[in-house]
Amino acid sequence: MRATLTNDVETAARDLADHGYCLLECPISPGAFERLRGRLLDVAEQEREDGSAFLYDGGNQRVFSLLNKGEEFEENVRDPSVMRLMEELLGVGFLLSSTHANIAGPGGAPMHLHADQTFARPPWPPYALVANSMWMLDDFTAENGATRLVPGSHLLGRQPDYERGEGNTATVPVCAPAGSVMVFDGRLWHQTGANTTGRPRHGILNYYCRGYVRQQQNFFTGLKEEVAARAEPGLRRLLGYENYFSLGMTDGLP
Ligand SMILES: O=C(O)CCC(=O)C(=O)O
């Protein structure tokens, strides 16, 4: 019932269908990985120092709107291996929904068990409306707050029912070396683990949605003008600047 750490996208796609998640070996060069990690750690530290950091749950930190905070992130949201898997899950014309980092800090509490498509009222369709990717910037271990999940729960097609105690369903930690990427179905039950070590666990969550689902982040109002201006066609499409069939048009027919 566990996904295999692989560099084969076909194997990953099968794991996604069967278990609701898959694990890719680091798809970028060691240099690109170090630049990505270094930039995220710098931004996170700067936000703690200038008082703008979003701190929560007794030790955790979120760093939002990464596209405004470094060119490294512009490359990262359109990684080709992740794009292939997202297209598999969400179909052509899928969008970037948001990009942010979650840092599970020492002493940080676990997150409640949930599936990411919280915005969708039941009944859910028998496919994912959204999907997420977790770029592990440190080794993820059971002790340092690795994401925990319920393998196969995407097939239940609903949120955990807290009134029936499903918030306490047994979960497994997804442990993998730094650089690995976990892609997971928006219906999969998961949570951040508790970090009982003395060192933070850094992860970037690039979150995507079908072309007709509203994005979590409003890039048209929130993205810095210079980022939008330099975005190449692939990134512009992900941000929602292109129409999806007859949706998203500027002035009548495309
Ligand atoms: O940080 C993690 O391990 C998971 C975060 C998560 O579940 C979420 O942001 O919805």
Side-chain angles (χ1 to χ4, degrees):
M1 287 293 280
R2 300 283 182 105
T4 317
L5 182 61
T6 181
N7 60 13
D8 175 38
V9 177
E10 303 305 325
T11 304
R14 270 198 304 280
D15 278 344
L16 259 177
D18 293 346
H19 309 306
Y21 75 107
C22 66
L23 270 173
L24 288 175
E25 287 173 12
C26 186
I28 57 178
S29 70
F33 175 73
E34 281 316 316
R35 285 192 293 280
L36 180 71
R37 185 177 188 280
R39 182 70 192 154
L40 191 267
L41 266 63
D42 286 350
V43 175
E45 184 181 6
Q46 186 197 318
E47 294 191 354
R48 287 193 299 273
E49 278 173 6
D50 69 20
S52 68
F54 183 89
L55 304 171
Y56 73 106
D57 277 355
N60 297 347
Q61 179 182 359
R62 300 251 178 189
V63 184
F64 294 112
S65 304
L66 292 182
L67 289 180
N68 285 339
K69 298 179 179 174
E71 292 189 31
E72 296 79 357
F73 306 119
E74 294 168 35
E75 192 77 27
N76 183 241
V77 295
R78 54 198 169 89
D79 176 81
S81 306
V82 175
M83 294 298 91
R84 266 193 67 190
L85 292 165
M86 288 300 166
E87 189 164 308
E88 188 92 19
L89 277 175
L90 303 174
V92 288
F94 67 87
L95 300 170
L96 180 67
S97 185
S98 66
T99 173
H100 81 279
N102 193 21
I103 304 171
M111 193 180 181
H112 66 283
L113 190 65
H114 65 286
D116 280 337
Q117 47 189 63
T118 34
F119 56 86
R121 298 294 106 208
W124 287 352
Y127 46 79
L129 294 170
V130 296
N132 219 327
S133 58
M134 167 62 94
W135 286 74
M136 303 180 184
L137 301 186
D138 298 295
D139 294 343
F140 270 35
T141 67
E143 294 74 32
N144 75 1
T147 311
R148 304 186 65 95
L149 49 78
V150 183
S153 53
H154 63 306
L155 299 175
L156 297 170
R158 58 177 178 79
Q159 292 287 357
D161 183 343
Y162 275 69
E163 285 180 8
R164 284 169 39 198
E166 288 178 346
N168 297 319
T169 307
T171 55
V172 296
V174 181
C175 303
S180 310
V181 187
M182 174 172 66
V183 174
F184 53 110
D185 188 300
R187 298 168 295 168
L188 188 76
W189 298 1
H190 67 281
Q191 61 187 161
T192 316
N195 186 343
T196 58
T197 72
R199 296 170 66 84
R201 181 229 74 178
H202 302 85
I204 291 178
L205 288 156
N206 293 335
Y207 178 50
Y208 303 85
C209 58
R210 286 187 181 265
Y212 52 81
V213 169
R214 189 164 185 190
Q215 289 149 289
Q216 186 172 51
Q217 209 176 329
N218 188 329
F219 295 111
F220 305 109
T221 57
L223 196 64
K224 282 183 181 166
E225 272 178 30
E226 71 253 31
V227 180
R230 69 170 174 253
E232 51 71 64
L235 182 56
R236 282 180 67 80
R237 193 201 62 68
L238 277 179
L239 292 171
Y241 282 94
E242 306 298 328
N243 59 297
Y244 175 83
F245 297 94
S246 60
L247 301 179
M249 293 192 291
T250 308
D251 186 18
L253 294 173

